[in-house]
Amino acid sequence: MRHVLAIDQGTTASKCLVVRSDGVVVGRGQRDITQYFPQPGWVEHDPEELLATVIAAARDAVAGSGQFPDAIGITNQRETIVVWDRVTGQPAARAIVWQDRRTAARCRELEPLVERLRHLTGLVADPYFSATKLEWLLRDGLLERAERGELLAGTVDSWLIWRLTGGMVHATDYTNASRTLLFDIQRREWSAELCELFGVPRSMLPEVRPSAGDFGVTTPEIFGRSVPVRGVAGDQQAALFGQGCWERGQGKQTYGTGAFLLLNTGSERPSDSPGVLTTLACDSAGQPVYALEGAIFIAGAAIQWLRDGLGILETAAASEELARGIADTGGVYFVPALAGLGAPDWEPRARGTIVGLTRGTGRAELVRAALEAMAHGTRDVIDLMERQSGAHFDRLRVDGGASANSWLMQFQADLLGRPVDRPLQVETTALGAAGLAGLSSGVWPTAASFAERREFTTFLPGDGAEAARDGVAGWRRAVRTALAWARDPEAGGLDDSEPAA
């Protein structure tokens, strides 16, 4: 048996798995990370802590498995940007996290360029993406050092690769590069036009490589001997690969802090349109293909807010029992725009909105409304993707923490009117990274051999389908209410950089 170490560096924790060549997970490790909120709307990470937690979790996973890995795969929170010293490897500032909204005003200035940005990158002018974050860091005192060639920049995968390889490799993969707002997804290269627009020296940016490929070897002191890094993908594209969605028309939804729906559209770039993003994903060989993505900024984070912020839940898992215990929400809708609205409406000024409250509303209704919002948002994005691409979701594959909620998965199937498949092994992000690395290093000869042992629980549309669909009009009305509040011309000094989560 051969083994692959999968590193999953996420927004709230660094997780690692050791995956055996028969698909069995034989070792695990996890370390939580600190989020910093120095000002309203600002979200930062300490890059050194990201690295330290990855190494600690990886060592735990390797020790628990009792096996030395043949290769490493890395998957990471996307869009978060790190700047570091080329010589010392030390961070030049804290990492600015994908949730951060400090560049919202700058993104409004870019609105006249929206079509050009979409044509080049498949993305929109939103603080979510890396370019305005990097521009902000450079303008905040780092530009001269960057122009002298002293600094490097990259998404979290690039930072980890640089440090794990002892500064020998400055690289990223196509999926992460496609999330920066600096990458031309048609030419598949860094855009000189966008580097100039955002004031980013091209010399700072990493080499872009296929997701299943060579990213160097780790320094011996990390694991006792060197290990090749052979797979890299952003978290959502890694999950798409891990779910076996390698062909046009196959898609998945990850219900995590946010919810991210990806639809593989194949080798031909789909037509651009507002509402969803065009990005790069992986085919069965780990080579770049196009995908449509709907990014819903807040999903499981809404349940976390009900638990930690309002104290009406003891655990996230308790949300399932509460939802089952009532027939409906009593007309309550929760639009969880706690970090603005992403797909399909893209309104950074939107804020969380609850409508339909009465004196009969209790915590169960609020919790169920938060769960229903995840399913309604998913349906909105699927409808738009199908209209835009011509591809059809025959079924939806799901993963992420909230996918463990069987009530939510049944409601999703009822609302969509099509099957929802939940894998028995829901850690598909890390498994996708393992699959890419194992494919590149020969642990698995083909992607099909990597995925052949996957098993699913399938939720079919049932008796609740009609009632679920009856709620669609009310949901859209609630979204229009949130949008109207955000866009009210009387709002005056409405600040669109409130806390992101």
Side-chain angles (χ1 to χ4, degrees):
M1 292 287 183
R2 300 179 68 190
H3 298 78
V4 177
L5 171 65
I7 293 172
D8 180 0
Q9 201 301 296
T11 310
T12 59
S14 296
K15 305 175 186 178
C16 294
L17 305 178
V18 174
V19 184
R20 203 165 60 195
S21 53
D22 61 359
V24 176
V25 175
V26 295
R28 299 176 185 271
Q30 177 170 332
R31 291 288 193 280
D32 291 339
I33 61 174
T34 307
Q35 295 198 71
Y36 297 92
F37 306 97
Q39 295 186 34
W42 293 27
V43 188
E44 298 177 348
H45 287 156
D46 176 358
E48 290 287 0
E49 184 183 16
L50 300 184
L51 175 68
T53 56
V54 161
I55 292 174
R59 287 172 172 166
D60 287 349
V62 170
S65 72
Q67 302 292 330
F68 196 83
D70 296 275
I72 292 174
I74 296 174
T75 184
N76 56 285
Q77 53 169 313
R78 305 172 305 170
E79 296 92 22
T80 297
I81 195 73
V82 185
V83 177
W84 66 95
D85 188 284
R86 182 189 294 270
V87 176
T88 67
Q90 296 304 302
R94 282 181 180 164
I96 301 182
V97 178
W98 61 272
Q99 296 169 313
D100 190 283
R101 311 301 292 175
R102 75 184 67 180
T103 61
R106 171 59 169 151
C107 290
R108 288 199 300 276
E109 294 175 0
L110 296 169
E111 287 177 2
L113 301 176
V114 62
E115 292 304 323
R116 182 61 177 164
L117 292 173
R118 183 179 288 116
H119 172 73
L120 289 172
T121 69
L123 309 178
V124 298
D126 191 271
Y128 178 33
F129 304 109
S130 310
T132 57
K133 297 176 171 64
L134 181 52
E135 179 185 46
W136 190 95
L137 283 170
L138 294 177
R139 289 181 175 180
D140 196 44
L142 299 180
L143 183 57
E144 289 186 4
R145 292 180 64 194
E147 290 177 335
R148 290 196 300 266
E150 298 174 5
L151 299 178
L152 298 177
T155 44
V156 170
D157 59 306
S158 297
W159 162 246
L160 295 177
I161 291 167
W162 177 266
R163 289 294 296 269
L164 292 174
T165 63
M168 297 301 295
V169 178
H170 186 36
T172 188
D173 83 307
Y174 286 103
T175 71
N176 277 295
S178 72
R179 310 300 297 181
T180 60
L181 207 66
L182 293 169
F183 193 73
D184 185 329
I185 62 171
Q186 194 73 38
R187 295 177 178 270
R188 296 181 183 174
E189 62 185 25
W190 297 114
S191 166
E193 177 183 341
L194 295 178
C195 286
E196 182 178 358
L197 174 66
F198 293 106
V200 175
R202 171 63 185 84
S203 60
M204 298 185 74
L205 299 176
E207 178 186 347
V208 184
R209 302 179 180 181
S211 298
D214 184 358
F215 293 87
V217 297
T218 64
T219 57
E221 59 267 21
I222 295 175
F223 298 110
R225 53 180 157 143
S226 296
V227 187
V229 181
R230 298 304 299 267
V232 174
D235 52 11
Q236 303 311 318
Q237 288 94 332
L240 189 72
F241 187 88
Q243 288 275 31
C245 299
W246 309 313
E247 305 294 334
R248 172 181 166 83
Q250 296 179 325
K252 67 87 197 174
Q253 172 75 302
T254 295
Y255 304 85
T257 301
F260 299 89
L261 183 69
L262 265 71
L263 172 66
N264 186 325
T265 60
S267 59
E268 296 297 322
R269 181 177 177 177
S271 59
D272 295 323
S273 72
V276 295
L277 309 172
T278 305
T279 194
L280 294 177
C282 305
D283 66 10
S284 59
Q287 296 296 313
V289 292
Y290 291 103
L292 292 177
E293 176 170 336
I296 301 169
F297 294 154
I298 297 294
I303 298 297
Q304 294 169 350
W305 174 67
L306 293 175
R307 180 193 65 196
D308 302 334
L310 299 188
I312 66 174
L313 277 172
E314 290 187 4
T315 65
S319 63
E320 180 170 352
E321 182 180 354
L322 284 171
R324 290 187 187 280
I326 54 176
D328 53 51
T329 65
V332 173
Y333 293 91
F334 178 14
V335 183
L338 307 180
L341 279 174
D345 299 289
W346 289 101
E347 178 48 79
R349 294 168 295 185
R351 290 294 174 263
T353 304
I354 301 172
V355 300
L357 295 173
T358 69
R359 289 193 64 181
T361 301
R363 66 183 186 126
E365 285 77 15
L366 289 177
V367 169
R368 178 159 168 162
L371 294 174
E372 289 188 0
M374 296 186 214
H376 280 296
T378 299
R379 182 183 186 276
D380 287 348
V381 174
I382 286 178
D383 286 350
L384 181 59
M385 282 185 177
E386 290 184 334
R387 291 195 303 271
Q388 178 178 339
S389 70
H392 178 72
F393 281 82
D394 291 325
R395 58 203 313 118
L396 180 67
R397 289 188 170 166
V398 299
D399 53 53
S403 70
N405 186 317
S406 294
W407 180 89
L408 173 59
M409 295 300 97
Q410 184 60 57
F411 183 81
Q412 187 74 85
D414 290 342
L415 189 63
L416 294 176
R418 63 196 86 179
V420 169
D421 294 329
R422 180 179 68 195
L424 297 187
Q425 174 55 270
V426 298
E427 294 166 310
T428 54
T429 302
L431 290 175
L436 288 164
L439 189 66
S440 175
S441 60
V443 173
W444 294 285
T446 64
S449 64
F450 156 70
E452 63 186 359
R453 292 176 176 83
R454 285 178 295 125
E455 297 180 67
F456 297 89
T457 298
T458 297
F459 298 85
L460 300 172
D463 295 339
E466 183 176 354
R469 290 193 293 271
D470 284 346
V472 171
W475 161 256
R476 289 308 305 172
R477 182 184 177 194
V479 172
R480 289 194 298 272
T481 300
L483 292 172
W485 186 89
R487 296 168 180 172
D488 186 344
E490 301 298 319
L494 178 64
D495 184 4
D496 58 6
S497 62
E498 291 296 320

